[in-house]
Amino acid sequence: MTSPHIPSVAVIGLGSIGGIVAGSLAAAGRCNLTLCVRRAIARLDVERPEDRIDVPVRALTDPAEAEPADWVLIATKAQQTASAAPWLARLCGPGTRVATLQNGIGHEARLAPFVAGAAVVPTVVYFNGERFAPDHMRFRRAGDYELAVADDENGRAFAGLMAGTPMRILLSGEFPTLVWKKLLINAVANPVTALTLQRQGVFRRADVRELCLGVLEEAAAVARAEGAPLAADVPRRTMDVLATHPADAGTSMYFDRLAGNALEIEALTGQIVAAAERHGIAVPLNRALLTLLRVVSDAAEA
Ligand SMILES: NC(=O)c1ccc[n+]([C@@H]2O[C@H](COP(=O)([O-])OP(=O)(O)OC[C@H]3O[C@@H](n4cnc5c(N)ncnc54)[C@H](OP(=O)(O)O)[C@@H]3O)[C@@H](O)[C@H]2O)c1
């Protein structure tokens, strides 16, 4: 009898999301895990809804030490993807699958130059992560599933990889629509909190809700042109969901602005505006948000 193949998994980007997934994979003990980090860590301490784990991990800080892996999970911010090129060059071999645990759309195109033809497996991330220290994160559930993937061979392989962890994986036959629905939330939640420097309580204001509905009507028209059949009431329902979020909840773009970091704007509003241009759809509100946030992000990078 042959023993089952134990997959090798590398995680690039040990922030809130990458740290939680890596810690959960390490605790499940079903793969050979390597963490690709800029500052060495020896353990991961993850507060989870049902328990708290503290697991030893193997972390590399030099891409030259990395070897081809069965799976690469990339959980940097989207704008940091290119900076991970040295890791991807070492980790991607002929059979590698690269899963993107990132917000936004356009991940396949963004990763293609760096993965040497490896399959890119986009995911939608639904759970909430917060990092308190390089080796300490808190995982909060935010819906019925933690991650969604397409119901295809690669998506099912990803779900298999996550078996034994607390991550609930949605295999979806309508994955592009899920991607756009998540993008719609991010198209208002992130820009508005980052620009106003207010937490999500700001969405309870009638004037902000009206502005956001306009932003979402534009984005939904783009989504439909891209082949995601969003219902007419999706903008209203998106705002209804935002209104249920705790008033003191931030967003990652809000926290990045507070920290003076570059913003993940090109993968979110930037992709909506780019797709609108392809289809000849006017999106003046999204364009205005994009311009303002580019100014903020460029100033942070200067
Ligand atoms: N946090 C959430 O609740 C949440 C929810 C849904 C989706 N998302 C999405 O998930 C993605 C990850 O978000 P996050 O909140 O986990 O971000 P994060 O906390 O900022 O983590 C990003 C991590 O990537 C690392 N990194 C960046 N460039 C790197 C490089 N070249 N080599 C190695 N490591 C590198 C950073 O390292 P350093 O520590 O060295 O800076 C950091 O640890 C984003 O697309 C975000 O929008 C987040």
Side-chain angles (χ1 to χ4, degrees):
M1 221 170 75
T2 53
S3 46
H5 174 67
I6 297 179
S8 52
V9 181
V11 181
I12 308 172
L14 265 291
S16 314
I17 296 301
I20 289 165
V21 172
S24 295
L25 283 169
R30 296 185 180 186
C31 65
N32 288 324
L33 185 67
T34 302
L35 311 185
C36 305
V37 294
R38 300 196 274 207
R39 281 166 295 168
I41 54 172
R43 317 187 63 75
L44 277 172
D45 171 6
V46 183
E47 297 174 40
R48 307 193 294 189
E50 295 83 13
D51 59 9
R52 183 167 178 167
I53 52 171
D54 188 351
V55 282
V57 290
R58 170 178 182 261
L60 303 179
T61 54
D62 181 359
E65 293 174 25
E67 291 178 359
D70 294 317
W71 280 96
V72 177
L73 312 186
I74 182 160
T76 64
K77 292 272 167 55
Q79 75 274 12
Q80 298 168 321
T81 300
S83 75
W87 287 113
L88 291 164
R90 296 284 305 181
L91 292 165
C92 291
T96 303
R97 289 179 169 117
V98 181
T100 58
L101 279 64
Q102 295 174 317
N103 269 333
I105 60 173
H107 301 308
E108 292 99 324
R110 189 177 310 106
L111 276 155
F114 310 116
V115 301
V120 176
V121 186
T123 75
V124 178
V125 179
Y126 292 117
F127 67 93
N128 179 263
E130 191 170 350
R131 182 173 61 161
F132 303 113
D135 59 358
H136 179 196
M137 293 86 188
R138 182 173 60 202
F139 161 28
R140 282 174 161 163
R141 300 193 193 280
D144 295 337
Y145 296 94
E146 277 63 66
L147 293 150
V149 285
D151 188 5
D152 59 17
E153 188 189 339
N154 287 330
R156 288 190 287 274
F158 180 82
L161 182 69
M162 291 296 145
T165 76
M167 299 283 150
R168 297 166 300 174
I169 312 296
L170 172 62
L171 290 168
S172 174
E174 297 169 351
F175 185 71
T177 302
L178 295 187
V179 170
W180 273 97
K181 281 185 176 169
K182 180 76 198 292
L183 182 57
L184 256 59
I185 292 179
N186 285 322
V188 286
N190 282 290
V192 172
T193 55
L195 285 170
T196 61
L197 283 176
Q198 294 199 31
R199 294 177 182 243
Q200 294 193 37
V202 74
F203 296 109
R204 294 170 190 185
R205 289 179 58 120
D207 51 359
V208 171
R209 181 180 167 97
E210 191 181 328
L211 170 67
C212 290
L213 283 171
V215 172
L216 292 170
E217 291 291 354
E218 292 178 4
V222 176
R224 291 181 198 110
E226 288 278 290
L230 299 188
D233 64 350
V234 162
R236 181 186 58 74
R237 282 196 279 131
T238 302
M239 292 312 299
D240 290 348
V241 169
L242 276 178
T244 67
H245 291 185
D248 64 350
T251 66
S252 65
M253 200 176 285
Y254 167 85
F255 290 121
D256 274 335
R257 180 158 187 213
L258 282 185
N261 296 333
L263 305 181
E264 198 174 35
I265 188 64
E266 298 301 334
L268 305 177
T269 306
Q271 290 287 329
I272 294 169
V273 172
E277 279 170 9
R278 286 198 295 276
H279 295 286
I281 297 172
V283 288
L285 294 174
N286 281 277
R287 199 176 281 284
L289 292 178
L290 180 60
T291 301
L292 294 172
L293 287 162
R294 277 182 176 157
V295 172
V296 172
S297 190
D298 289 352
E301 281 183 308

